[in-house]
Amino acid sequence: MTDELFARTPIPKAYMTLALPVVMSMVVQLVYSMADTFFIALTGDTALIAGVSICTPLFTLMLAFGDLFGLGGSSVIARLFGAGCKDDGKRLSIFCFYGALAFGIVAAAVLLAFEPEMLALLGAEGEVTAHAAAYYSWFIAGAPFVIFSLVPTNLLRTAGCPKISMNASILGAAVNIALDPVLIFGLELGAAGAALATAIGYICSDLYAVRYIRRHCAELSLDLPGLRIDRTEIRAIFTIGLAAAVTNFTQTFGIAMTNRSLLPYGSDAIAVMGIVMKIIMIVALVVVGLAFGGQPLIGYTYGARDKARLKKVIAFALQAVVGTSVVLALGLALFARQVVHVFLEEPALIEQGVTILYWQLPAIVFMGIGLVLICTFQATGKGLPSLILSLCRQGIVYALALAILPLWFGYTGVIAAQLAADIVTVVIAAVLYRISLAK
């Protein structure tokens, strides 16, 4: 199945076969996120809502840990499959599965041991602390399952089973949504119930994926006695995995930097920006799914040393991502005022939201180009360029944009900083691509 899909299927069909399930998984996760927030908000307890909200960075942390083995392993294994080294790819998949599980157990033990310190770092104070602690304890207890989930999600796509990967994600989200009202309200567990629902959702997702791999996926393995790996292979996995993890970390820093830069303009500015970013996320997740969905195909083709097909795959990825992002951005721009009005009532705040949205929409197009090139570097094992770009968009370049543009343009400089950072990141990406891969 792997060779048929990756090597012989026409590029548009192969790419979209891999990418569309990722897009669907992203949309499902967004729906889950909104549903989870909805159920917590129904309690009307602001301390509870705040306690759960301040634990949000924990998700980013777990996803970053999972990327070390999931995206890192996917990159190396896709190239091995392309080179015809199926047994080596299968062998490395064992390391990724059990490495993620072991890492998750250790991470959970450490984070539970330092719970008071972590809660203080997250900003838990006063009556919020009890709710945050309840959520934290149960979520961290389930952390090994969250971290582990990133491995089958990525490796199943690499093995040519994107629909199974999507089904696992949908199952986990559905279980989570179903359990939220039962545990939060029915059993009156509050924050602990929300965390427990999340953990159980991931457990169900993991069990579904593991069952499929054991019964139907010959390209991957969970046979622990077959585990053999050397330092070079571990380094190759973590080189790409680290760059992917950095992307998750910089997103958290980017949100914090934006909020800090908006402080001089009042709490309304921060609130409106937060709402606009939730709106943008709908489009962004589709673009992210399209960009990352084709990563296994790029890695396989690179491993097969088929340069002509590789160039066509990258060209199609850029066309698909840019075309989709332009259409979605234009559609959202046409109905900007109506969409913002769904979340805001005050005319002045609506106008402010529309202005911010107009500045953010072009950034989506440049973000898409940058993501395709980041995925290309990750898929082809180019760790340094991938790390550099991961540090740029919402890291170093964004920080510089936030430091410089407001000095010249004030409030407009703050809301235009992401667009400026994305444009500069794409220029850097193009240069790195010419140096590393365009030969």
Side-chain angles (χ1 to χ4, degrees):
M1 180 178 179
T2 308
D3 292 332
E4 179 64 32
L5 175 63
F6 287 81
R8 292 185 283 275
T9 301
I11 290 171
K13 183 179 179 180
Y15 192 97
M16 299 311 290
T17 298
L18 291 164
L20 288 180
V22 181
V23 173
M24 181 60 68
S25 297
M26 292 281 190
V27 172
V28 168
Q29 290 301 317
L30 178 63
V31 171
Y32 150 67
S33 177
M34 290 180 170
D36 202 39
T37 303
F38 172 75
F39 287 123
I40 292 294
L42 281 180
T43 64
D45 186 339
T46 54
L48 170 58
I49 297 168
V52 173
S53 296
I54 67 170
C55 289
T56 300
L58 294 174
F59 280 97
T60 305
L61 182 63
M62 296 306 114
L63 293 178
F65 288 157
D67 281 344
L68 288 171
F69 300 90
L71 280 175
S74 174
S75 170
V76 176
I77 292 170
R79 280 177 273 133
L80 287 171
F81 284 171
C85 304
K86 299 293 180 67
D87 289 339
D88 287 329
K90 187 173 184 177
R91 175 173 54 81
L92 293 192
S93 72
I94 302 173
F95 168 77
C96 293
F97 286 123
Y98 289 101
L101 186 60
F103 188 94
I105 293 171
V106 172
V110 171
L111 290 170
L112 286 173
F114 290 93
E115 180 175 329
E117 292 81 1
M118 286 298 298
L119 287 173
L121 183 64
L122 289 168
E125 295 179 353
E127 61 180 339
V128 171
T129 304
H131 297 296
Y135 188 93
Y136 182 98
S137 298
W138 280 103
F139 179 76
I140 295 302
F145 302 103
V146 180
I147 294 171
F148 178 86
S149 70
L150 271 292
V151 180
T153 296
N154 284 284
L155 296 196
L156 280 167
R157 291 192 293 114
T158 302
C161 305
K163 290 184 180 178
I164 304 302
S165 175
M166 177 187 70
N167 291 343
S169 297
I170 292 175
L171 174 64
V175 169
N176 198 332
I177 292 171
L179 288 179
D180 265 337
V182 175
L183 297 177
I184 295 172
F185 302 108
L187 298 181
E188 299 182 351
L189 294 177
L196 186 56
T198 299
I200 294 173
Y202 275 104
I203 290 171
C204 291
S205 175
D206 292 344
L207 289 175
Y208 173 85
V210 166
R211 182 176 180 273
Y212 181 87
I213 291 167
R214 285 195 176 281
R215 295 189 176 188
H216 305 291
C217 187
E219 290 84 1
L220 306 175
S221 175
L222 288 150
D223 184 13
L224 188 56
L227 174 59
R228 298 187 316 280
I229 191 167
D230 59 38
R231 291 182 180 179
T232 302
E233 292 167 332
I234 293 175
R235 189 182 303 116
I237 290 172
F238 285 164
T239 296
I240 301 303
L242 179 61
V246 166
T247 301
N248 280 313
F249 285 126
T250 57
Q251 286 174 354
T252 302
F253 289 129
I255 294 170
M257 286 189 294
T258 302
N259 291 339
R260 186 174 293 275
S261 298
L262 287 171
L263 278 174
Y265 305 98
S267 58
D268 282 352
I270 296 174
V272 174
M273 174 62 85
I275 288 170
V276 170
M277 294 317 295
K278 286 185 180 295
I279 295 170
I280 286 292
M281 189 183 297
I282 300 170
V283 176
L285 286 178
V286 174
V287 175
V288 169
L290 278 177
F292 276 90
Q295 186 171 329
L297 180 60
I298 294 172
Y300 182 99
T301 309
Y302 182 81
R305 301 181 184 276
D306 189 343
K307 292 184 178 180
R309 184 172 171 86
L310 178 62
K311 289 182 178 180
K312 291 178 181 178
V313 171
I314 296 171
F316 179 80
L318 287 169
Q319 292 168 10
V321 169
V322 171
T324 301
S325 60
V326 167
V327 170
L328 292 176
L330 287 175
L332 198 50
L334 287 173
F335 298 97
R337 187 163 280 95
Q338 293 90 327
V339 173
V340 174
H341 185 51
V342 172
F343 299 91
L344 296 168
E345 294 292 336
E346 255 186 72
L349 295 182
I350 291 174
E351 289 305 315
Q352 189 176 8
V354 170
T355 300
I356 295 175
L357 188 59
Y358 283 155
W359 278 104
Q360 300 302 312
L361 288 175
I364 293 293
V365 179
F366 290 97
M367 180 197 77
I369 298 172
L371 285 176
V372 170
L373 294 177
I374 288 175
C375 289
T376 298
F377 290 131
Q378 289 178 352
T380 55
K382 308 298 182 183
L384 183 58
S386 177
L387 180 60
I388 290 172
L389 290 182
S390 297
L391 287 168
C392 282
R393 182 178 182 263
Q394 288 194 307
I396 297 171
V397 174
Y398 187 51
L400 289 172
L402 280 175
I404 296 170
L405 293 182
L407 296 177
W408 296 341
F409 306 106
Y411 173 74
T412 302
V414 176
I415 63 176
Q418 187 63 74
L419 175 58
D422 279 316
I423 293 172
V424 173
T425 300
V426 167
V427 173
I428 294 172
V431 172
L432 291 173
Y433 178 79
R434 288 182 65 85
I435 294 172
S436 303
L437 288 168
K439 299 175 183 178

